[in-house]
Amino acid sequence: DPPPAAGRPVRELIRAPALVCEPEMPVQRAAEQMVEAGATCVVVDLGDQLGIVTDRDIRTLVADAAAGPDTPRPQPVPTQRA
């Protein structure tokens, strides 16, 4: 059986209002707002739907830009399922 907490509605996990930005906001400004708010993601209002950008998305973007297009990328390590 799942623990009782697993059956709780997700709304009970909300700790703060969502940080929302427009799709045209520069990545740097979105990252600054995330830092200011202590948030790990920002919700992007696309009008008819919502998107999400995480701190990992931003770190990956910055790392890829710094590495350049010719830098070899690490390959994922295959895992075996039991």
Side-chain angles (χ1 to χ4, degrees):
D1 289 324
R8 293 172 42 194
V10 293
R11 72 176 170 268
E12 292 181 10
L13 301 178
I14 297 172
R15 295 179 294 180
L19 182 59
V20 181
C21 72
E22 298 299 318
E24 294 80 21
M25 179 180 285
V27 171
Q28 181 174 351
R29 182 65 190 128
E32 290 168 352
Q33 287 188 359
M34 288 168 61
V35 169
E36 291 167 7
T40 58
C41 65
V42 62
V43 175
V44 183
D45 184 354
L46 300 170
D48 60 340
Q49 59 185 357
L50 299 173
I52 187 167
V53 175
T54 67
D55 54 357
R56 181 178 182 200
D57 295 329
I58 294 172
R59 287 192 314 269
T60 300
L61 176 70
V62 170
D64 284 350
D70 297 328
T71 304
R73 301 290 190 259
Q75 297 300 312
V77 178
T79 58
Q80 293 181 327
R81 293 181 180 230

Coordinates of all heavy atoms in Angstrom, one line a residue:
D1 N 0.8 -1.2 0.0 CA 0.0 0.0 0.0 C 0.9 1.3 0.0 O 1.9 1.3 0.7 CB -0.9 0.0 1.2 CG -2.0 -1.0 1.2 OD1 -2.5 -1.3 0.1 OD2 -2.3 -1.6 2.2
P2 N 0.5 2.3 -0.8 CA 1.3 3.5 -0.8 C 1.1 4.2 0.6 O 0.1 4.0 1.3 CB 0.6 4.4 -1.9 CG -0.7 3.8 -2.1 CD -0.6 2.3 -1.7
P3 N 2.1 5.0 1.0 CA 2.0 5.7 2.3 C 0.8 6.7 2.2 O 0.4 7.2 1.1 CB 3.3 6.4 2.4 CG 4.0 6.4 1.1 CD 3.3 5.2 0.3
P4 N 0.2 7.0 3.3 CA -0.9 7.9 3.3 C -0.7 9.3 2.6 O -1.5 9.8 2.0 CB -1.2 8.2 4.8 CG -0.6 7.0 5.5 CD 0.5 6.6 4.7
A5 N 0.6 9.8 2.7 CA 0.9 11.0 2.1 C 0.8 10.9 0.6 O 0.4 11.9 -0.1 CB 2.3 11.5 2.5
A6 N 1.0 9.8 0.0 CA 0.9 9.6 -1.5 C -0.5 9.8 -2.0 O -0.7 10.1 -3.2 CB 1.4 8.2 -1.9
G7 N -1.5 9.7 -1.1 CA -2.9 9.9 -1.5 C -3.4 11.3 -1.4 O -4.5 11.6 -1.8
R8 N -2.6 12.2 -0.8 CA -3.0 13.6 -0.7 C -3.1 14.3 -2.0 O -2.4 14.0 -2.9 CB -1.9 14.3 0.2 CG -1.9 13.8 1.6 CD -0.7 14.4 2.4 NE -0.5 15.8 2.2 CZ 0.6 16.4 2.5 NH1 1.6 15.8 3.1 NH2 0.8 17.7 2.3
P9 N -3.9 15.3 -2.1 CA -4.0 16.1 -3.3 C -2.7 16.9 -3.5 O -2.2 17.4 -2.5 CB -5.2 17.0 -3.2 CG -5.8 16.7 -1.8 CD -4.9 15.7 -1.1
V10 N -2.3 17.1 -4.7 CA -1.1 17.9 -5.0 C -1.2 19.3 -4.5 O -0.2 19.9 -4.1 CB -0.6 17.8 -6.4 CG1 -0.2 16.4 -6.8 CG2 -1.7 18.4 -7.4
R11 N -2.4 19.9 -4.4 CA -2.5 21.2 -4.0 C -2.0 21.4 -2.6 O -1.6 22.5 -2.2 CB -4.0 21.7 -4.1 CG -4.9 21.1 -3.1 CD -6.3 21.7 -3.1 NE -7.2 20.9 -2.3 CZ -7.9 19.8 -2.7 NH1 -7.9 19.5 -4.0 NH2 -8.7 19.2 -1.9
E12 N -2.0 20.4 -1.8 CA -1.5 20.5 -0.4 C 0.1 20.6 -0.4 O 0.6 20.9 0.6 CB -1.9 19.2 0.4 CG -3.4 19.2 0.7 CD -3.8 18.0 1.5 OE1 -2.9 17.3 2.0 OE2 -5.0 17.8 1.6
L13 N 0.7 20.4 -1.5 CA 2.2 20.5 -1.6 C 2.6 21.9 -2.0 O 3.8 22.1 -1.9 CB 2.7 19.4 -2.6 CG 2.4 18.0 -2.2 CD1 3.0 17.1 -3.3 CD2 3.0 17.6 -0.9
I14 N 1.7 22.7 -2.4 CA 2.1 24.0 -2.8 C 2.6 24.8 -1.6 O 1.9 25.0 -0.6 CB 0.9 24.7 -3.5 CG1 0.5 23.9 -4.8 CG2 1.2 26.2 -3.9 CD1 -0.8 24.4 -5.4
R15 N 3.8 25.4 -1.8 CA 4.4 26.2 -0.7 C 4.3 27.7 -1.0 O 4.4 28.5 0.0 CB 5.8 25.8 -0.5 CG 6.0 24.3 0.0 CD 7.4 24.0 0.1 NE 8.0 24.0 -1.2 CZ 9.3 23.7 -1.4 NH1 10.1 23.4 -0.5 NH2 9.8 23.7 -2.6
A16 N 4.2 28.0 -2.2 CA 4.2 29.5 -2.6 C 3.5 29.6 -3.9 O 3.4 28.6 -4.7 CB 5.6 30.0 -2.7
P17 N 3.0 30.8 -4.2 CA 2.4 31.0 -5.5 C 3.4 30.7 -6.7 O 4.6 30.9 -6.5 CB 2.0 32.5 -5.5 CG 2.0 32.9 -4.1 CD 3.0 32.0 -3.4
A18 N 2.9 30.3 -7.8 CA 3.8 30.0 -8.9 C 4.4 31.3 -9.4 O 3.8 32.4 -9.5 CB 3.0 29.4 -10.1
L19 N 5.7 31.2 -9.8 CA 6.4 32.3 -10.5 C 6.1 32.2 -12.0 O 6.4 31.1 -12.6 CB 7.9 32.1 -10.2 CG 8.8 33.2 -10.8 CD1 8.4 34.6 -10.2 CD2 10.2 32.9 -10.4
V20 N 5.4 33.2 -12.5 CA 4.9 33.1 -13.9 C 5.6 34.2 -14.7 O 5.7 35.3 -14.3 CB 3.4 33.3 -14.0 CG1 2.8 33.2 -15.4 CG2 2.7 32.2 -13.1
C21 N 6.0 33.8 -16.0 CA 6.5 34.8 -16.9 C 5.9 34.7 -18.3 O 5.3 33.7 -18.6 CB 8.1 34.7 -16.9 SG 8.7 33.3 -17.8
E22 N 6.1 35.7 -19.0 CA 5.7 35.7 -20.4 C 6.8 35.0 -21.3 O 7.9 35.0 -20.9 CB 5.5 37.1 -20.9 CG 4.5 37.9 -20.2 CD 3.1 37.3 -20.3 OE1 2.7 36.9 -21.4 OE2 2.4 37.2 -19.3
P23 N 6.4 34.4 -22.4 CA 7.3 33.6 -23.2 C 8.5 34.5 -23.8 O 9.5 33.9 -24.2 CB 6.5 33.0 -24.3 CG 5.1 33.6 -24.2 CD 5.0 34.3 -22.9
E24 N 8.3 35.8 -23.9 CA 9.3 36.6 -24.5 C 10.3 37.1 -23.5 O 11.3 37.7 -23.8 CB 8.7 37.9 -25.1 CG 7.8 37.6 -26.3 CD 6.4 37.1 -25.9 OE1 6.0 37.4 -24.8 OE2 5.7 36.5 -26.8
M25 N 10.2 36.8 -22.2 CA 11.1 37.2 -21.2 C 12.5 36.5 -21.4 O 12.6 35.4 -21.7 CB 10.6 36.8 -19.8 CG 11.6 37.2 -18.7 SD 11.0 36.7 -17.0 CE 9.8 37.9 -16.8
P26 N 13.5 37.3 -21.4 CA 14.9 36.8 -21.6 C 15.2 35.7 -20.5 O 14.8 35.9 -19.3 CB 15.8 38.0 -21.4 CG 14.9 39.2 -21.7 CD 13.6 38.8 -21.3
V27 N 15.9 34.7 -20.8 CA 16.3 33.7 -19.9 C 17.0 34.2 -18.7 O 16.7 33.8 -17.5 CB 17.2 32.6 -20.6 CG1 17.7 31.6 -19.6 CG2 16.4 31.9 -21.7
Q28 N 17.9 35.2 -18.9 CA 18.6 35.8 -17.8 C 17.7 36.4 -16.7 O 17.8 36.2 -15.5 CB 19.6 36.8 -18.2 CG 20.4 37.4 -17.1 CD 21.5 38.3 -17.5 OE1 21.9 38.4 -18.7 NE2 22.2 39.0 -16.6
R29 N 16.7 37.1 -17.2 CA 15.7 37.8 -16.3 C 14.9 36.7 -15.6 O 14.6 36.8 -14.4 CB 14.8 38.7 -17.1 CG 13.8 39.5 -16.2 CD 14.6 40.4 -15.2 NE 13.6 40.9 -14.2 CZ 13.8 40.8 -12.9 NH1 14.9 40.3 -12.4 NH2 12.9 41.3 -12.1
A30 N 14.5 35.7 -16.3 CA 13.7 34.6 -15.6 C 14.6 34.0 -14.5 O 14.1 33.7 -13.4 CB 13.3 33.5 -16.7
A31 N 15.8 33.7 -14.8 CA 16.7 33.1 -13.8 C 16.9 34.1 -12.6 O 16.9 33.6 -11.5 CB 18.1 32.8 -14.5
E32 N 17.0 35.4 -12.9 CA 17.1 36.3 -11.8 C 15.9 36.3 -10.9 O 16.0 36.3 -9.7 CB 17.3 37.7 -12.3 CG 18.7 38.0 -13.0 CD 18.8 39.2 -13.8 OE1 17.7 39.9 -14.0 OE2 19.9 39.6 -14.2
Q33 N 14.7 36.2 -11.5 CA 13.5 36.2 -10.8 C 13.4 34.9 -9.9 O 12.9 34.9 -8.8 CB 12.2 36.3 -11.7 CG 12.1 37.7 -12.2 CD 10.8 37.9 -13.0 OE1 10.0 36.9 -13.1 NE2 10.5 39.1 -13.4
M34 N 13.9 33.8 -10.5 CA 13.9 32.5 -9.8 C 14.7 32.6 -8.5 O 14.4 32.2 -7.5 CB 14.3 31.4 -10.7 CG 13.3 31.0 -11.8 SD 14.0 29.9 -13.0 CE 14.5 28.5 -12.1
V35 N 15.9 33.2 -8.7 CA 16.8 33.4 -7.5 C 16.2 34.3 -6.5 O 16.2 34.0 -5.3 CB 18.2 34.0 -8.0 CG1 19.0 34.4 -6.8 CG2 18.9 33.0 -8.9
E36 N 15.6 35.4 -6.9 CA 15.0 36.3 -6.0 C 13.8 35.7 -5.2 O 13.6 35.9 -4.0 CB 14.4 37.6 -6.8 CG 15.5 38.5 -7.3 CD 15.0 39.5 -8.3 OE1 13.7 39.6 -8.5 OE2 15.8 40.2 -9.0
A37 N 13.1 34.8 -5.9 CA 11.9 34.1 -5.3 C 12.3 32.9 -4.5 O 11.5 32.3 -3.9 CB 10.9 33.9 -6.3
G38 N 13.6 32.4 -4.7 CA 13.9 31.1 -4.1 C 13.2 30.0 -4.8 O 13.0 28.9 -4.2
A39 N 12.9 30.1 -6.1 CA 12.2 29.1 -6.9 C 13.1 28.3 -7.7 O 14.2 28.7 -8.1 CB 11.2 29.8 -7.8
T40 N 12.7 27.1 -8.0 CA 13.5 26.2 -8.8 C 12.9 26.0 -10.2 O 13.5 25.3 -11.1 CB 13.6 24.8 -8.2 OG1 12.3 24.2 -8.0 CG2 14.3 24.8 -6.9
C41 N 11.8 26.8 -10.5 CA 11.2 26.7 -11.8 C 10.4 28.0 -12.0 O 10.1 28.7 -11.1 CB 10.4 25.5 -12.0 SG 9.0 25.4 -11.0
V42 N 10.1 28.2 -13.3 CA 9.2 29.3 -13.6 C 8.1 28.7 -14.6 O 8.5 27.9 -15.5 CB 9.9 30.5 -14.2 CG1 10.6 30.2 -15.5 CG2 9.0 31.7 -14.5
V43 N 6.9 29.1 -14.4 CA 5.8 28.7 -15.3 C 5.7 29.8 -16.4 O 5.7 31.0 -16.1 CB 4.5 28.6 -14.5 CG1 3.3 28.3 -15.5 CG2 4.6 27.6 -13.5
V44 N 5.6 29.3 -17.6 CA 5.6 30.2 -18.8 C 4.1 30.2 -19.3 O 3.6 29.2 -19.7 CB 6.6 29.8 -19.9 CG1 6.5 30.8 -21.1 CG2 8.0 29.6 -19.3
D45 N 3.5 31.4 -19.3 CA 2.2 31.5 -19.8 C 2.2 31.6 -21.3 O 2.6 32.7 -21.9 CB 1.5 32.8 -19.2 CG 0.1 33.0 -19.6 OD1 -0.4 32.2 -20.4 OD2 -0.6 33.9 -19.0
L46 N 1.7 30.6 -22.0 CA 1.7 30.6 -23.5 C 0.4 30.9 -24.0 O 0.1 30.7 -25.2 CB 2.2 29.2 -23.9 CG 3.6 28.7 -23.5 CD1 3.8 27.3 -23.8 CD2 4.6 29.6 -24.1
G47 N -0.5 31.4 -23.2 CA -1.8 31.8 -23.6 C -2.8 30.6 -23.5 O -3.6 30.6 -22.5
D48 N -2.8 29.7 -24.5 CA -3.7 28.6 -24.4 C -3.2 27.4 -23.6 O -3.9 26.4 -23.5 CB -4.1 28.2 -25.8 CG -2.9 27.7 -26.7 OD1 -1.8 28.1 -26.3 OD2 -3.1 27.0 -27.7
Q49 N -1.9 27.5 -23.2 CA -1.4 26.4 -22.4 C -0.2 27.0 -21.5 O 0.1 28.2 -21.7 CB -0.8 25.3 -23.3 CG 0.2 25.7 -24.3 CD 0.6 24.5 -25.2 OE1 0.1 23.4 -25.1 NE2 1.4 24.8 -26.1
L50 N 0.3 26.2 -20.6 CA 1.4 26.6 -19.8 C 2.6 25.7 -20.1 O 2.5 24.6 -20.5 CB 1.0 26.4 -18.3 CG -0.2 27.2 -17.8 CD1 -0.6 26.8 -16.4 CD2 0.1 28.7 -17.9
G51 N 3.8 26.3 -19.9 CA 5.0 25.6 -20.0 C 5.8 25.8 -18.7 O 5.4 26.5 -17.8
I52 N 6.9 25.0 -18.5 CA 7.7 25.2 -17.3 C 9.2 25.2 -17.7 O 9.6 24.4 -18.6 CB 7.4 24.0 -16.3 CG1 8.1 24.3 -15.0 CG2 7.7 22.7 -16.9 CD1 7.7 23.4 -13.9
V53 N 10.0 26.0 -17.1 CA 11.4 26.1 -17.3 C 12.0 25.9 -15.9 O 11.6 26.6 -15.0 CB 11.9 27.4 -17.9 CG1 13.4 27.5 -18.0 CG2 11.3 27.6 -19.3
T54 N 12.9 24.9 -15.8 CA 13.5 24.6 -14.5 C 14.9 25.1 -14.4 O 15.5 25.5 -15.4 CB 13.5 23.1 -14.3 OG1 14.4 22.5 -15.2 CG2 12.1 22.4 -14.4
D55 N 15.4 25.1 -13.2 CA 16.8 25.6 -13.0 C 17.8 24.6 -13.8 O 18.8 25.1 -14.3 CB 17.2 25.7 -11.5 CG 17.0 24.4 -10.7 OD1 16.4 23.4 -11.3 OD2 17.3 24.4 -9.5
R56 N 17.4 23.4 -13.9 CA 18.2 22.4 -14.7 C 18.2 22.8 -16.2 O 19.3 22.8 -16.8 CB 17.7 21.0 -14.5 CG 18.5 20.0 -15.3 CD 18.1 18.6 -15.1 NE 18.9 17.7 -15.8 CZ 18.6 16.5 -16.2 NH1 17.4 16.0 -15.8 NH2 19.4 15.7 -16.8
D57 N 17.1 23.2 -16.7 CA 17.0 23.7 -18.1 C 18.0 24.8 -18.3 O 18.7 24.9 -19.3 CB 15.6 24.1 -18.5 CG 14.6 23.0 -18.4 OD1 14.9 21.9 -18.7 OD2 13.4 23.3 -18.1
I58 N 18.0 25.8 -17.4 CA 18.9 27.0 -17.5 C 20.3 26.6 -17.4 O 21.2 27.0 -18.2 CB 18.5 28.1 -16.5 CG1 17.0 28.6 -16.9 CG2 19.5 29.2 -16.5 CD1 16.4 29.5 -15.9
R59 N 20.7 25.7 -16.4 CA 22.1 25.3 -16.3 C 22.5 24.6 -17.6 O 23.6 24.8 -18.0 CB 22.2 24.3 -15.1 CG 22.1 25.0 -13.8 CD 22.6 24.1 -12.6 NE 22.0 22.8 -12.7 CZ 20.9 22.4 -12.1 NH1 20.2 23.3 -11.4 NH2 20.5 21.1 -12.2
T60 N 21.7 23.7 -18.1 CA 22.0 23.0 -19.4 C 22.3 24.0 -20.5 O 23.2 23.8 -21.3 CB 20.9 22.0 -19.7 OG1 20.8 21.1 -18.7 CG2 21.2 21.2 -21.0
L61 N 21.4 25.0 -20.6 CA 21.6 26.0 -21.7 C 22.9 26.7 -21.5 O 23.6 26.9 -22.5 CB 20.4 27.0 -21.6 CG 20.5 28.2 -22.6 CD1 20.2 27.7 -24.0 CD2 19.4 29.2 -22.2
V62 N 23.2 27.1 -20.3 CA 24.5 27.9 -20.1 C 25.7 26.9 -20.3 O 26.6 27.4 -21.0 CB 24.5 28.4 -18.6 CG1 25.8 29.0 -18.3 CG2 23.4 29.5 -18.5
A63 N 25.6 25.7 -19.9 CA 26.7 24.8 -20.1 C 26.9 24.5 -21.6 O 28.1 24.5 -22.0 CB 26.5 23.5 -19.3
D64 N 25.8 24.3 -22.3 CA 26.0 24.0 -23.7 C 26.5 25.2 -24.5 O 27.4 25.1 -25.4 CB 24.6 23.7 -24.3 CG 24.2 22.3 -24.0 OD1 25.0 21.5 -23.5 OD2 23.0 21.9 -24.3
A65 N 26.1 26.4 -24.1 CA 26.6 27.6 -24.7 C 28.1 27.8 -24.4 O 28.9 28.2 -25.3 CB 25.9 28.9 -24.3
A66 N 28.6 27.5 -23.2 CA 30.0 27.7 -22.8 C 30.8 26.6 -23.5 O 32.0 26.9 -23.9 CB 30.1 27.6 -21.3
A67 N 30.3 25.4 -23.7 CA 31.1 24.3 -24.2 C 31.3 24.5 -25.7 O 32.3 24.1 -26.2 CB 30.4 23.0 -24.0
G68 N 30.3 25.0 -26.4 CA 30.5 25.2 -27.9 C 29.9 23.9 -28.6 O 29.8 22.9 -28.0
P69 N 29.6 24.1 -29.9 CA 29.0 23.0 -30.6 C 29.9 21.8 -30.9 O 29.4 20.7 -31.1 CB 28.5 23.7 -31.9 CG 29.4 24.8 -32.1 CD 29.8 25.3 -30.7
D70 N 31.2 22.0 -30.8 CA 32.1 20.9 -31.2 C 32.6 20.1 -30.0 O 33.4 19.1 -30.1 CB 33.4 21.4 -31.9 CG 33.0 22.0 -33.3 OD1 32.0 21.5 -33.9 OD2 33.6 23.0 -33.7
T71 N 32.2 20.5 -28.8 CA 32.6 19.8 -27.5 C 31.8 18.5 -27.4 O 30.6 18.5 -27.5 CB 32.3 20.7 -26.3 OG1 33.0 21.9 -26.5 CG2 32.8 20.0 -25.0
P72 N 32.6 17.4 -27.2 CA 31.9 16.1 -27.0 C 31.0 16.1 -25.8 O 31.4 16.7 -24.8 CB 33.0 15.1 -26.9 CG 34.3 15.8 -27.3 CD 34.0 17.2 -27.2
R73 N 29.8 15.6 -25.9 CA 28.9 15.5 -24.8 C 29.0 14.2 -24.1 O 29.2 13.1 -24.8 CB 27.5 15.7 -25.3 CG 27.2 17.0 -26.0 CD 27.3 18.2 -25.0 NE 26.9 19.4 -25.6 CZ 27.7 20.3 -26.0 NH1 29.0 20.2 -26.0 NH2 27.2 21.5 -26.5
P74 N 28.9 14.1 -22.8 CA 28.9 12.8 -22.1 C 27.7 12.0 -22.6 O 26.6 12.5 -22.8 CB 28.8 13.1 -20.6 CG 28.9 14.6 -20.5 CD 28.7 15.2 -21.9
Q75 N 27.9 10.7 -22.7 CA 26.9 9.8 -23.1 C 26.2 9.2 -21.9 O 26.9 8.9 -20.9 CB 27.4 8.7 -24.0 CG 28.0 9.2 -25.3 CD 27.0 9.9 -26.2 OE1 25.9 9.4 -26.4 NE2 27.3 11.0 -26.7
P76 N 24.9 9.0 -21.9 CA 24.2 8.4 -20.8 C 24.7 7.0 -20.6 O 25.1 6.3 -21.5 CB 22.7 8.3 -21.2 CG 22.6 9.1 -22.5 CD 24.0 9.3 -23.0
V77 N 24.8 6.6 -19.3 CA 25.2 5.3 -18.9 C 24.0 4.3 -19.0 O 23.0 4.6 -18.3 CB 25.9 5.2 -17.5 CG1 26.2 3.8 -17.1 CG2 27.0 6.2 -17.5
P78 N 24.1 3.3 -19.8 CA 22.9 2.4 -19.8 C 22.7 1.7 -18.5 O 23.7 1.4 -17.8 CB 23.3 1.3 -20.9 CG 24.6 1.7 -21.4 CD 25.2 2.9 -20.6
T79 N 21.5 1.5 -18.2 CA 21.1 0.8 -16.9 C 20.3 -0.5 -17.3 O 19.7 -0.5 -18.3 CB 20.3 1.7 -16.0 OG1 19.1 2.1 -16.7 CG2 21.1 2.9 -15.6
Q80 N 20.5 -1.4 -16.4 CA 19.7 -2.7 -16.6 C 18.5 -2.7 -15.7 O 18.6 -2.3 -14.5 CB 20.6 -3.9 -16.3 CG 21.7 -4.1 -17.3 CD 22.5 -5.3 -17.0 OE1 22.7 -5.6 -15.9 NE2 23.0 -5.9 -18.1
R81 N 17.4 -3.2 -16.2 CA 16.2 -3.3 -15.3 C 16.3 -4.7 -14.7 O 16.7 -5.7 -15.3 CB 15.0 -3.2 -16.1 CG 14.8 -1.8 -16.7 CD 13.5 -1.7 -17.4 NE 13.4 -0.3 -17.9 CZ 12.3 0.4 -17.8 NH1 11.3 -0.1 -17.2 NH2 12.3 1.6 -18.2
A82 N 15.8 -4.7 -13.5 CA 15.8 -6.0 -12.7 C 14.7 -6.9 -13.3 O 13.8 -6.6 -13.9 CB 15.6 -5.7 -11.3

